[in-house]
Amino acid sequence: MKSANWLVLVLAVILLEFLSWRTEALFTPTDNYLIVCGSSQNVTFQGRTFVPDLLLSSLSLKSESTSYVATSNSSVPSSLYQSARIFSGVASYKFNIKQEGRHWIRLYFYPFPKSGHDLLSAPITVVADDFVLLNNFTFENYNGSFLFEYAINVTSATLMLTFIPWNNSVSFVNAIEVVSIPDAVLPDQALALNSSAPVSSLSESALETVYRLNMGGPLITAQNDTLGRTWENDSKYLHVSSSAVNLSVNPASIKYTDSITQETAPNRVYATAVAMGDANVPSMNSKVTWVFPVDSNFRYLVRAHFCDILSQSLNAMVFNLYINDDIAVPSLDLSTLTGKLNLPYYKDFISKSSAESGTLTVSIGPDSAVDITNATLNGLEIMKISNDAGSLDGLSSAANLLPKSLSKKNRIPVIIGSLVGAVAAVALIGFCCCCMPILKSKVTNHGHPMLPLRLYGNFRTMTKISATSQKSGRASCISLASSNLGRFFTFREILNATNKFDETLLLGVGGFGRVYKGALEDGTKVAVKRGNHRSEQGLAEFQTEIEMLSKLRHRHLVSLIGYSDERSEMILVYEYMANGPLRSHLYGTNLPSLSWKQRLEICIGAARGLHYLHTSAARSIIHRDVKTTNILLDENFIAKVADFGLSKTGPELDQTHVSTAVKGSFGYLDPEYFRRQQLTEKSDVYSFGVVLMEVLCSRPALSPGLPREQVNIAEWAMSWQKKGMLEQIMDSNLVGKVNPASLKKYGETAEKCLAEHGIDRPSMGDILWNLEYALQLEETSSALMEPEDNSMNHIPTIQFTSLEPFDNSVSLINVGNSGIDDDGKDSATSSAFSQLVNPSGR
Ligand SMILES: *[C@@H]1O[C@H](CO)[C@@H](O)[C@H](O)[C@H]1NC(C)=O
Ligand SMILES: *[C@@H]1O[C@H](CO)[C@@H](O)[C@H](O)[C@H]1NC(C)=O
Ligand SMILES: *[C@@H]1O[C@H](CO)[C@@H](O)[C@H](O)[C@H]1NC(C)=O
Ligand SMILES: *[C@@H]1O[C@H](CO)[C@@H](O)[C@H](O)[C@H]1NC(C)=O
Ligand SMILES: *[C@@H]1O[C@H](CO)[C@@H](O)[C@H](O)[C@H]1NC(C)=O
Ligand SMILES: *[C@@H]1O[C@H](CO)[C@@H](O)[C@H](O)[C@H]1NC(C)=O
Ligand SMILES: *[C@@H]1O[C@H](CO)[C@@H](O)[C@H](O)[C@H]1NC(C)=O
Ligand SMILES: *[C@@H]1O[C@H](CO)[C@@H](O)[C@H](O)[C@H]1NC(C)=O
Ligand SMILES: *[C@@H]1O[C@H](CO)[C@@H](O)[C@H](O)[C@H]1NC(C)=O
Ligand SMILES: *[C@@H]1O[C@H](CO)[C@@H](O)[C@H](O)[C@H]1NC(C)=O
Ligand SMILES: *[C@@H]1O[C@H](CO)[C@@H](O)[C@H](O)[C@H]1NC(C)=O
Ligand SMILES: *[C@@H]1O[C@H](CO)[C@@H](O)[C@H](O)[C@H]1NC(C)=O
C-alpha cells in the first residue's frame, strides 16, 4: 500500500517536472522577420540578428518612386539606427506570411540629423494591410530613437506594410520586425469597465502597445523576452505622492502554469513588484497610482499582471485595482485565484482615458472591507485599440490614405492585369525559345525584378538619386556606411575631363547611358559613364554596378576610379581600357588578328575575373552578361571583365532564386536559365563557353545571315567539336598556327562550358585550370619546335614583358602566389598548377 502511494508520488513529481520543463520550452515564431532597412550587413541588436531588408527572398519592396538609404555616423544609439530607408513616394514592403494570426509589427525610427532631409519634421504615415498605424506623425517634439509596436491579426498569406510620404516630403524607417505571436497571448475579448458585458472581437482590431511596464524592476529588453517585448521600469509613471516600495524575488521561483507561461510575461516581470509603502501615510487613501498620458479618442486594452511575491502565506493580502476612478477589481484575492504564492495571474480590461483629462490612471489600494493593508502590482500593459476606421492614429481609414492603385477595391484588376502579363510573358518565352537562333536583336527585360540594390558613398554625397519613372518598381538606395566608392568628382571636373561630353570622345552607348573617353587633370585617361536618366533599367544597372565595383577589386576586373552625383547626374569614372572590347579584335574591324597565345591569355584573364566574381565575395556574384563586348583589353592586352550592370549576387542567401526577368544577351544565354529562370554561376559558365567559341572562330555569337544551322555559334561549334573537327570552323588566321593538343584542350573546355545542364558544366576555377593547361601546351610545343613568331600579328606596341603574370613558362609554381590577384585568393589556380607540374596529382 505504502509503496503504491510512493509510486504515485514519484510519478506526480516526474510529471510536475515535465510540465514545468515544458512550460519553459522556447516559443519559436513561425514568421520571424527582423530586418534592418538599407543596411548592407546583418546587425545584432539586443541579442537578435536583423537582416538587410532587400536580402530576403520572402520580402519584397515595391516603391512608386525611388527609395534610398541614408546612413548616419556612429554617434547613433545603435548600429540598428545607422541606416534608414527613405521613401520619396509610396512604398510597400510585402511580407510573405506562413501562418495566419496575430503578428507583432515593430517599427524602429531614428530621425538622425544631417541626413539631407529633415527627418525630424517628415510626416510619417504607415498602413499595414487595412490598418492605419501612423498618420502624419512627426518626431519634431521628441528626441532619440523610437520603437513602435503593433499587434495585428494577419488573415492572408501576405502582409503589406506601406509608407506614404506627404507631398514634397519623405518617409523613412530604420528597422522592421514582423513576428508571429502565440494565439494565447492576446485576448479576443475583455471586460469593458463601463459595462459588465465583455467587449469581443478584439482579434479583428489592431493594437498598439503604448506602455509596457515592469513594476519595481529594471528595464527588460527584447533579448530577455521570448516574444521580443520591451518592458520599461515604472518609475517615470509613478504618481509622485504615491508611497511605494519595490519588491523582488529570485525569478526562478516564479511558477508558471499551462495557461500562464513566460509568453504571457517573462519571469523577471513577475519577480519584481511595487507594493504599498509603510503606513506612515493615512492608510485608507494610500493608493499607489501610475499616470499615463493617452489619446482620449481611443479605447485601450489594459492588462495588469499580478504575482504574490510579498506574502509569507496564502490569504494574507486582499486589495483593489482601480482604473481611472473605477474599481476594476474589488477585493482581489490572489491566493484564491491562484492557490499558490509566486504564481502569476493577469486580468484584462478595456478602458478609455478618464474624462477629458487625457490620462489613464491605474492604482492599487487597500480594500476597505478587510483590514489587510497591502497591495501589489508586477506588470502593466496598455494597448491602444484601433477605431472604427481601422486606424490607430486619426480618423482616416487605410483606404482613404492609400493611393487608389493600392487600396483593396482595385486589387482585382491588378491581379487580372498581372495574370495577363504572366500569360504574355510565358508566350513570349515560348516564342523566344522557338525562334531564339533567328532573333537578331537583344531583348530588353519586360519585368521589374526586385533587385537588391545598394550603393555606397559618404555624407557629402547623400543626395537623392532622381527617379525618372513614376511607375518604376525599383527601389534604389545609398548606403553610406562604408565609403569605398573611390574618389568623388565634381560635375565640373567631369565636364572638364570629357571636354563637356564631346561626342567625338564617345566610346559607346549602353543600356545605362553613354561612355566617353576622358582625361583627368593629372593626365590619367579614364572612361566616363554618364547615367541615362530616361532609362529606369539603366538606373538600376548603374546602381548595381556601383555597388559591385566598389566592393570588387581585381586585376581582371575593370576598376572604378570614382564617381560624381552632383546635379542629379550619376557618373562613374573607370580606368580607361586602351584596346577596347575583345570583340573589336575578333571581327568587324580592321584591327590586326590576335595570335592564339594572345587569345588564350585573354580568355584566361577573363576567366580569372569571373572566377573572382564567383568565389571571392561572401556570396557569389553572377555576372549575367558575359560576352565579348564586356571583356575589355588594356594597353597591354590584359583582359578585364566589365559591365556589372546585370550582375546579381548568387543564390546562397536567396534559396528560391527565381529572377523575374530573363536578362543577358541573346546568343550567350544559358538555355537552362532561360527555361527555368534559375540563375547560377553556371549561367556565366555557359556564356563564357560561347565567348570561347567566338574567340576561336572570330565570328559573332549569332549570325542571322548565315544558313540556319550556322546561325548560333554554340550549336554550330558544338556540332564540329563533337566530330573532333573544330579546326574546320576556326578563324582562318589561326589555321596551321595552333598546337593541336592545345586546340583539343580548348575545344573540350568550351564543350564542357556549353553543356545542356548547369550541373554538367565546370566551375570557372576548372575552366581556368584547363585554359592554363591549353596555354602551357601551346607554349611548350612552340618552344620545342623552333616556333614561328607567334607575335607576328601583334600590334607593335605590345610589350610582352608586361604580360609577365601569364608568361609563366619559367616558374609555374609561383603563379598562384605571385601577387597576380590582389586578393591572393586564387588558390584554385595555384593548386591547379601544382597538379600541372605533378601530373600524377590529377
Ligand atoms: C545574417 O543573418 C541571417 C539570419 O540570422 C543568417 O542566415 C546569415 O547567414 C547572416 N549573414 C551574415 C553575412 O552574417
Ligand atoms: C555625427 O553626428 C552628430 C550629430 O548627430 C554630430 O554632432 C557629429 O559631429 C557627427 N560626427 C561626424 C564625424 O560627422
Ligand atoms: C499634418 O500635420 C501637420 C502638423 O504636424 C499639419 O499642419 C497638417 O495639416 C497635417 N496634415 C494632415 C493632412 O493632416
Ligand atoms: C534632445 O536631447 C538633447 C541632448 O541629448 C537636448 O539638449 C535637447 O534639449 C533634447 N530635446 C528635446 C526636445 O527633448
Ligand atoms: C498634396 O498635393 C495634392 C495635389 O497635388 C493636394 O490636393 C493636397 O492638398 C496636398 N497635400 C498636402 C498635405 O500638402
Ligand atoms: C462603454 O464605453 C464604450 C466606449 O468605450 C461605449 O461604446 C459604450 O456605449 C459604453 N457603454 C456604456 C454602458 O456606457
Ligand atoms: C484572426 O482573425 C480570424 C478571422 O477574423 C479569426 O478566425 C482568428 O481567430 C483570429 N486569430 C487570432 C489569433 O485572434
Ligand atoms: C524602485 O525601483 C525603481 C526601478 O527599479 C527605481 O527607480 C526606484 O527608485 C525604486 N524605488 C524605491 C522606493 O526603491
Ligand atoms: C528605472 O528607470 C529610471 C529612469 O526611467 C532609471 O533612472 C532607473 O535607474 C531605472 N531603474 C532600474 C533599476 O533600472
Ligand atoms: C538578459 O539576457 C542576457 C543573456 O540572454 C543575460 O546576460 C542578462 O543578464 C539578461 N538581463 C536581465 C536583466 O535579465
Ligand atoms: C507592504 O509590504 C512591503 C513589503 O513587505 C512592506 O515594506 C510595506 O511596509 C507594506 N506596506 C504596508 C502598508 O503594510
Ligand atoms: C581642364 O582644366 C585645366 C585647368 O584646370 C585646363 O588646363 C584644361 O584645359 C581643362 N580641360 C578641358 C578639356 O577643359
Side-chain angles (χ1 to χ4, degrees):
M1 268 320 231
K2 245 183 182 172
S3 63
N5 281 345
W6 271 110
L7 191 63
V8 168
L9 194 64
V10 166
L11 282 175
V13 167
I14 289 171
L15 188 65
L16 276 175
E17 286 293 326
F18 173 72
L19 281 177
S20 62
W21 170 80
R22 189 175 61 93
T23 53
E24 274 167 30
L26 286 182
F27 166 72
T28 356
T30 314
D31 295 305
N32 192 20
Y33 290 96
L34 305 182
I35 66 172
V36 50
C37 299
S39 176
S40 55
Q41 60 208 27
N42 284 355
V43 170
T44 300
F45 179 69
Q46 295 181 341
R48 302 184 305 158
T49 301
F50 285 68
V51 179
D53 50 356
L54 293 187
L55 289 186
L56 283 175
S57 57
S58 45
L59 168 73
S60 58
L61 172 61
K62 229 189 178 80
S63 75
E64 200 177 60
S65 71
T66 310
S67 80
Y68 52 100
V69 164
T71 308
S72 180
N73 64 25
S74 54
S75 68
V76 301
S78 150
S79 50
L80 191 67
Y81 297 112
Q82 250 171 32
S83 66
R85 192 167 291 280
I86 299 179
F87 310 102
S88 54
V90 176
S92 301
Y93 281 101
K94 183 172 141 208
F95 296 85
N96 287 343
I97 297 298
K98 289 192 217 119
Q99 191 172 54
E100 296 180 8
R102 280 225 171 87
H103 286 70
W104 299 121
I105 297 176
R106 297 195 177 103
L107 305 177
Y108 294 80
F109 296 98
Y110 181 69
F112 47 74
K114 275 179 96 178
S115 59
H117 288 278
D118 195 358
L119 297 185
L120 270 177
S121 60
I124 310 291
T125 298
V126 184
V127 170
D129 280 351
D130 298 329
F131 295 107
V132 178
L133 307 185
L134 288 169
N135 182 6
N136 197 19
F137 177 90
T138 72
F139 295 98
E140 258 163 341
N141 303 318
Y142 306 92
N143 230 354
S145 59
F146 300 86
L147 166 59
F148 291 84
E149 183 186 272
Y150 306 91
I152 75 168
N153 184 357
V154 181
T155 53
S156 67
T158 56
L159 169 72
M160 295 288 281
L161 196 61
T162 305
F163 292 80
I164 308 165
W166 289 99
N167 298 352
N168 306 323
S169 182
V170 294
S171 187
F172 76 102
V173 64
N174 298 79
I176 303 174
E177 287 182 43
V178 172
V179 182
S180 303
I181 311 177
D183 285 348
V185 168
L186 293 169
D188 184 47
Q189 53 180 45
L191 208 62
L193 279 176
N194 63 352
S195 71
S196 52
V199 173
S200 58
S201 300
L202 276 177
S203 67
E204 285 164 23
S205 305
L207 300 174
E208 176 186 354
T209 309
V210 285
Y211 300 100
R212 181 180 287 130
L213 306 180
N214 175 22
M215 265 58 191
L219 172 76
I220 295 173
T221 59
Q223 68 181 323
N224 297 76
D225 182 307
T226 49
L227 300 187
R229 293 165 296 198
T230 300
W231 303 74
E232 264 188 287
N233 87 38
D234 67 298
S235 45
K236 260 198 293 203
Y237 308 99
L238 197 59
H239 192 251
V240 281
S241 62
S242 295
S243 151
V245 293
N246 292 340
L247 304 172
S248 74
V249 295
N250 180 353
S253 68
I254 301 302
K255 304 178 183 104
Y256 284 118
T257 67
D258 274 355
S259 56
I260 302 187
T261 66
Q262 58 185 340
E263 271 89 61
T264 314
N267 57 12
R268 286 189 167 84
V269 169
Y270 290 117
T272 64
V274 162
M276 288 172 59
D278 279 329
N280 54 1
V281 276
S283 65
M284 281 306 114
N285 281 325
S286 58
K287 290 197 285 188
V288 180
T289 300
W290 293 266
V291 179
F292 305 95
V294 293
D295 182 337
S296 56
N297 298 312
F298 286 87
R299 295 181 303 151
Y300 292 85
L301 172 66
V302 179
R303 172 172 289 186
H305 294 271
F306 303 97
C307 185
D308 190 351
I309 56 171
L310 174 150
S311 303
Q312 302 302 311
S313 61
L314 286 173
N315 303 315
M317 184 169 57
V318 176
F319 60 94
N320 293 342
L321 174 74
Y322 305 82
I323 295 181
N324 295 333
D325 293 327
D326 301 318
I327 296 190
V329 191
S331 307
L332 179 64
D333 178 359
L334 288 174
S335 296
T336 309
L337 292 166
T338 62
K340 278 199 180 102
L341 298 177
N342 292 6
L343 203 140
Y345 179 76
Y346 68 83
K347 210 144 171 54
D348 293 329
F349 302 94
I350 289 176
S351 180
K352 297 190 77 167
S353 65
S354 58
E356 308 306 314
S357 69
T359 59
L360 193 153
T361 61
V362 174
S363 316
I364 49 172
D367 177 7
S368 52
V370 292
D371 61 354
I372 308 163
T373 56
N374 219 331
T376 176
L377 184 64
N378 301 61
L380 187 70
E381 293 174 87
I382 299 180
M383 304 182 88
K384 195 194 251 181
I385 301 167
S386 59
N387 59 21
D388 292 341
S391 174
L392 286 161
D393 191 3
L395 296 173
S396 301
S397 66
N400 287 344
L401 291 169
L402 286 170
K404 285 216 172 63
S405 60
L406 284 176
S407 66
K408 246 192 178 160
K409 280 174 208 142
N410 288 308
R411 273 182 201 167
I412 290 165
V414 170
I415 291 165
I416 291 169
S418 53
L419 257 179
V420 170
V423 169
V426 167
L428 175 73
I429 288 173
F431 170 78
C432 292
C433 285
C434 304
C435 315
M436 191 167 72
I438 304 161
L439 269 183
K440 183 177 180 175
S441 63
K442 174 175 172 176
V443 170
T444 54
N445 72 318
H446 294 270
H448 294 284
M450 298 295 165
L451 291 179
L453 299 175
R454 283 147 291 144
L455 293 183
Y456 293 85
N458 54 42
F459 260 105
R460 61 187 282 221
T461 64
M462 192 167 329
T463 53
K464 180 183 163 215
I465 300 165
S466 65
T468 45
S469 163
Q470 287 307 304
K471 284 204 206 111
S472 169
R474 291 173 189 283
S476 55
C477 50
I478 310 174
S479 177
L480 304 163
S482 56
S483 112
N484 53 357
L485 249 191
R487 181 174 157 194
F488 173 80
F489 291 93
T490 63
F491 189 62
R492 181 173 281 283
E493 282 175 292
I494 299 290
L495 280 178
N496 182 300
T498 58
N499 201 8
K500 301 198 175 74
F501 298 108
D502 187 341
E503 290 298 299
T504 61
L505 297 174
L506 194 66
L507 292 173
V509 181
F512 49 84
R514 301 160 94 79
V515 189
Y516 297 86
K517 184 181 173 180
L520 301 182
E521 262 155 43
D522 65 4
T524 312
K525 286 186 185 157
V526 291
V528 176
K529 269 191 187 182
R530 186 183 196 190
N532 179 351
H533 287 267
R534 282 184 303 271
S535 149
E536 50 179 274
Q537 181 196 357
L539 183 70
E541 286 178 15
F542 205 49
Q543 289 154 2
T544 312
E545 189 158 356
I546 284 200
E547 189 216 343
M548 291 296 164
L549 279 174
S550 58
K551 279 194 286 196
L552 303 168
R553 299 275 164 188
H554 189 270
R555 180 181 167 86
H556 294 288
L557 297 181
V558 173
S559 62
L560 185 70
I561 293 174
Y563 67 104
S564 172
D565 61 359
E566 281 190 351
R567 302 198 200 166
S568 325
E569 293 270 356
M570 286 300 289
I571 289 167
L572 296 177
V573 180
Y574 294 92
E575 64 176 316
Y576 177 65
M577 300 295 286
N579 277 311
L582 169 60
R583 177 177 293 177
S584 61
H585 297 269
L586 296 174
Y587 50 85
T589 61
N590 295 324
L591 294 172
S593 173
L594 297 169
S595 73
W596 182 237
K597 185 165 175 257
Q598 269 182 308
R599 292 179 201 222
L600 283 174
E601 281 162 347
I602 288 164
C603 292
I604 288 167
R608 278 180 194 273
L610 290 171
H611 177 59
Y612 171 81
L613 283 182
H614 288 181
T615 57
S616 72
R619 288 181 305 139
S620 144
I621 291 160
I622 301 169
H623 187 291
R624 297 223 284 178
D625 201 13
V626 176
K627 55 181 175 181
T628 45
T629 45
N630 279 338
I631 296 169
L632 303 183
L633 303 175
D634 74 0
E635 68 277 16
N636 297 319
F637 278 72
I638 292 188
K640 304 199 181 197
V641 177
D643 202 347
F644 299 87
L646 296 173
S647 296
K648 189 165 184 179
T649 45
E652 256 88 321
L653 229 143
D654 203 349
Q655 292 301 335
T656 61
H657 210 285
V658 179
S659 52
T660 45
V662 175
K663 287 192 141 199
S665 300
F666 273 95
Y668 295 91
L669 214 51
D670 169 11
E672 192 172 59
Y673 167 42
F674 200 78
R675 274 196 309 273
R676 301 183 25 205
Q677 305 216 359
Q678 209 136 20
L679 189 66
T680 70
E681 296 90 335
K682 297 298 177 67
S683 305
D684 282 354
V685 169
Y686 182 90
S687 308
F688 191 72
V690 176
V691 167
L692 290 179
M693 290 306 192
E694 216 180 324
V695 165
L696 178 71
C697 304
S698 295
R699 55 149 283 189
L702 286 181
S703 301
L706 293 175
R708 173 80 216 235
E709 69 277 10
Q710 299 185 24
V711 167
N712 188 325
I713 196 175
E715 287 175 16
W716 177 238
M718 278 292 264
S719 64
W720 289 96
Q721 164 62 22
K722 290 212 170 102
K723 287 185 268 183
M725 297 165 73
L726 213 46
E727 67 278 5
Q728 297 290 317
I729 57 162
M730 70 193 237
D731 187 345
S732 55
N733 290 312
L734 295 175
V735 174
K737 296 172 191 162
V738 174
N739 171 282
S742 176
L743 179 62
K744 183 160 180 284
K745 191 79 202 162
Y746 186 92
E748 285 167 5
T749 310
E751 182 183 359
K752 283 185 205 142
C753 292
L754 293 172
E756 183 71 15
H757 299 289
I759 52 166
D760 300 329
R761 297 175 204 147
S763 69
M764 282 318 295
D766 290 337
I767 295 162
L768 195 48
W769 189 89
N770 281 290
L771 292 176
E772 298 272 13
Y773 191 49
L775 177 63
Q776 194 56 31
L777 290 169
E778 175 69 19
E779 283 176 339
T780 48
S781 72
S782 46
L784 282 179
M785 53 184 187
E786 207 60 52
E788 67 224 75
D789 184 2
N790 262 348
S791 61
M792 186 169 62
N793 294 318
H794 292 166
I795 304 160
T797 55
I798 301 169
Q799 290 164 6
F800 265 89
T801 49
S802 62
L803 281 173
E804 153 270 309
F806 303 128
D807 194 9
N808 42 30
S809 51
V810 188
S811 57
L812 273 178
I813 223 103
N814 285 334
V815 170
N817 45 22
S818 63
I820 301 167
D821 298 289
D822 317 5
D823 60 341
K825 275 199 180 182
D826 227 344
S827 52
T829 331
S830 53
S831 61
F833 273 109
S834 40
Q835 287 172 346
L836 184 66
V837 168
N838 173 17
S840 63
R842 191 165 160 86

